[in-house]
Amino acid sequence: MRIKKSYTLASSILLASLLSGILIAIFGFVNDELVPMYSSAQDFWSIFFRIFIKNFLIIIFMLIISLIPYLPALLLSVYNFIVFGASLGFSIMDVGMWGSLLRYLHGLLEIPVIIIGLALSLRFSHFICAKIWGKSGKATFHLKKMEIILTPLLLLAAGIIETIYIKEGL
């Protein structure tokens, strides 16, 4: 699978899942049913490490489950984006569009990382399937330096922003 195709597919999954989550929030749930994972009573580093490790483990998990081609990584990504979309939908109903944009600023950093992880997983799944089906001439797996460098940097920045929001009670 070509790099551009893997990112196009990952981005379209993001949009469909995110919109599904927003619709679920608007039509299906009451905001009080969501249980917060973090509390402003916790110290900064405790919140930050929980956020960073959770997001990093999702990416690692997507890569590991890509050994079972395609489906598990797709399901995990869809679930993650639906939860984010539902949370965003609740936020829009609570504080409006602009307040939500500020509240979910960290998501602008997390979303590209999840897209990178999903695109890598799709390419890796394609590579494994090509090897299994004996099409080794077409089986190549390319890993860009940008993907290796951007992933931890964006997760660190997103974790810091989200931790600050939680500590400030936003």
Side-chain angles (χ1 to χ4, degrees), residues 1-75:
M1 177 177 289
R2 294 181 181 260
I3 291 172
K4 186 176 180 180
K5 185 176 181 180
S6 68
Y7 277 101
T8 302
L9 182 57
S11 297
S12 61
I13 290 168
L14 155 75
L15 290 175
S17 303
L18 195 60
L19 290 173
S20 298
I22 291 172
L23 290 174
I24 287 169
I26 293 171
F27 297 111
F29 295 105
V30 176
N31 196 11
D32 295 337
E33 293 177 10
L34 291 179
V35 178
M37 293 176 59
Y38 314 105
S39 164
S40 59
Q42 296 171 325
D43 69 288
F44 180 88
W45 292 109
S46 172
I47 297 169
F48 169 75
F49 284 122
R50 287 181 71 189
I51 291 168
F52 178 79
I53 296 299
K54 176 189 66 85
N55 289 330
F56 192 73
L57 288 176
I58 287 172
I59 301 304
I60 297 299
F61 185 66
M62 279 195 302
L63 292 173
I64 290 171
I65 63 175
S66 67
L67 295 173
I68 303 169
Y70 305 107
L71 187 60
L74 290 170
L75 292 175

Side-chain angles (χ1 to χ4, degrees), residues 84-141:
F84 179 72
S87 178
L88 181 61
F90 290 134
S91 179
I92 290 170
M93 290 185 289
D94 185 33
V95 295
M97 184 64 82
W98 294 112
S100 296
L101 182 61
L102 291 174
R103 185 181 281 178
Y104 287 97
L105 184 62
H106 68 279
L108 297 175
L109 300 173
E110 287 176 353
I111 288 172
V113 174
I114 295 172
I115 289 173
I116 289 170
L118 182 56
L120 284 171
S121 177
L122 293 172
R123 291 198 316 263
F124 192 60
S125 291
H126 190 74
F127 171 76
I128 297 238
C129 287
K131 287 287 189 183
I132 290 171
W133 295 326
K135 298 179 181 178
S136 57
K138 295 182 178 182
T140 58
F141 179 72

Side-chain angles (χ1 to χ4, degrees), residues 128-165:
I128 297 238
C129 287
K131 287 287 189 183
I132 290 171
W133 295 326
K135 298 179 181 178
S136 57
K138 295 182 178 182
T140 58
F141 179 72
H142 299 286
L143 188 62
K144 299 268 188 186
K145 288 179 190 174
M146 176 267 314
E147 294 166 331
I148 296 170
I149 294 168
L150 259 169
T151 298
L153 291 177
L154 288 174
L155 285 176
L156 283 170
I160 289 169
I161 292 169
E162 189 172 1
T163 303
I164 290 169
Y165 282 178

